[in-house]
Amino acid sequence: MSEFVLIDAPYIDQSGAYPTGCESVSAVMLLRFLGVEITVDEFIENYLDKQGFEQRDGELYGPDPRKYFCGSPYDEDSFGCYAPVIAKALGKVLSERTVKGAASEKGRKEHIPVYEAVDETGTPLSKLVHRYIDRGMPVVCWACINMREPIIGPQWRLMDTGEIFTWVSNEHCMLLVGYDEKGYYFNDPYEGNGLVHYPKDMAEDRYRAQHMQAVAAVRKGEREN
């Protein structure tokens, strides 16, 4: 029997309103799959840590994408953020928002967190699909826009340390929702792409190019080793 698993997860198009908001849109797709009622705007404005850029003595200084979204998801000239930022934002949402059907014995007014966010950076896609997809759980993953080649640069100095940071351009975030023998399926928010399928070698290569970053949700007390 051939391998085939595909999760029916909500789809959100980032076009127009969120030109650099792929990470936030992918996170909200996951949240909605979990039954959390939240909009992309609420996620960006209330939960996502953001920081802008500034010029100092002719040099560009900016945020650390492992700590902040670099710029604004509403700005087409902004960059993005890395897995720790999305894991932190997801964790805050999951600790505050009620998951549908997860009411306590005392009723819906008492919120008991059901899920927690896990930063799975460094975990191969092949392991992610068996750890999560096989159990019916989508995963937020970083790769490249339309699986284009990664481009090294631009660079800026980090505001908090002064060290030079190098961005890998064509960075993109999608929701991993399935796999088969030949490749992986993603809900891709870019330009209304919808459900897309990419060959294993290509997807794994672009995933590696963006530092093998992923964020998942697990039930409290059931975190994988």
Side-chain angles (χ1 to χ4, degrees), residues 45-90:
E45 292 164 12
N46 300 328
Y47 298 97
L48 185 71
D49 291 333
K50 302 170 288 292
Q51 193 174 73
F53 291 80
E54 61 183 54
Q55 290 283 339
R56 296 180 189 171
D57 299 322
E59 278 197 281
L60 182 65
Y61 280 74
D64 185 336
R66 294 157 294 200
K67 298 178 181 178
Y68 302 97
F69 184 95
C70 302
S72 166
Y74 300 111
D75 180 6
E76 64 182 12
D77 293 323
S78 289
F79 292 88
C81 62
Y82 286 169
V85 180
I86 294 301
K88 182 179 178 182
L90 277 172

Side-chain angles (χ1 to χ4, degrees), residues 6-104:
L6 184 61
I7 299 168
D8 183 15
Y11 178 75
I12 304 172
D13 180 6
Q14 74 179 90
S15 302
Y18 318 107
T20 54
C22 56
E23 301 96 344
S24 295
V25 172
S26 296
V28 171
M29 285 193 277
L30 175 59
L31 287 166
R32 289 188 180 175
F33 174 81
L34 295 174
V36 179
E37 295 181 342
I38 187 171
T39 67
V40 177
D41 291 306
E42 287 173 328
F43 183 87
I44 291 171
E45 292 164 12
N46 300 328
Y47 298 97
L48 185 71
D49 291 333
K50 302 170 288 292
Q51 193 174 73
F53 291 80
E54 61 183 54
Q55 290 283 339
R56 296 180 189 171
D57 299 322
E59 278 197 281
L60 182 65
Y61 280 74
D64 185 336
R66 294 157 294 200
K67 298 178 181 178
Y68 302 97
F69 184 95
C70 302
S72 166
Y74 300 111
D75 180 6
E76 64 182 12
D77 293 323
S78 289
F79 292 88
C81 62
Y82 286 169
V85 180
I86 294 301
K88 182 179 178 182
L90 277 172
K92 287 191 285 186
V93 175
L94 292 170
S95 69
E96 295 175 11
R97 298 289 187 116
T98 301
V99 174
K100 279 184 180 178
S104 70

Side-chain angles (χ1 to χ4, degrees), residues 51-211:
Q51 193 174 73
F53 291 80
E54 61 183 54
Q55 290 283 339
R56 296 180 189 171
D57 299 322
E59 278 197 281
L60 182 65
Y61 280 74
D64 185 336
R66 294 157 294 200
K67 298 178 181 178
Y68 302 97
F69 184 95
C70 302
S72 166
Y74 300 111
D75 180 6
E76 64 182 12
D77 293 323
S78 289
F79 292 88
C81 62
Y82 286 169
V85 180
I86 294 301
K88 182 179 178 182
L90 277 172
K92 287 191 285 186
V93 175
L94 292 170
S95 69
E96 295 175 11
R97 298 289 187 116
T98 301
V99 174
K100 279 184 180 178
S104 70
E105 292 178 0
K106 296 180 181 178
R108 290 188 179 276
K109 290 185 179 179
E110 181 181 342
H111 171 52
I112 299 175
V114 178
Y115 295 97
E116 60 183 341
V118 178
D119 186 341
E120 284 283 5
T121 297
T123 304
L125 286 178
S126 58
K127 287 189 178 179
L128 286 178
V129 295
H130 294 301
R131 184 174 292 175
Y132 293 101
I133 302 301
D134 282 348
R135 298 183 179 187
M137 181 64 70
V139 182
V140 177
C141 288
W142 277 250
C144 294
I145 295 172
N146 289 334
M147 293 299 175
R148 297 172 189 161
E149 291 280 349
I151 298 172
I152 305 303
Q155 293 182 325
W156 59 84
R157 287 194 180 274
L158 298 181
M159 286 187 183
D160 53 357
T161 66
E163 69 178 288
I164 293 177
F165 174 82
T166 302
W167 181 257
V168 180
S169 291
N170 282 333
E171 177 263 357
H172 188 45
C173 195
M174 300 179 286
L175 189 67
L176 175 65
V177 294
Y179 69 100
D180 58 23
E181 290 180 331
K182 295 183 178 179
Y184 301 98
Y185 293 89
F186 300 88
N187 273 9
D188 182 1
Y190 186 71
E191 293 188 339
N193 280 346
L195 179 66
V196 296
H197 179 271
Y198 289 110
K200 282 186 177 179
D201 288 349
M202 177 183 287
E204 289 168 357
D205 179 76
R206 303 304 189 261
Y207 177 65
R208 283 192 298 270
Q210 294 294 344
H211 314 298

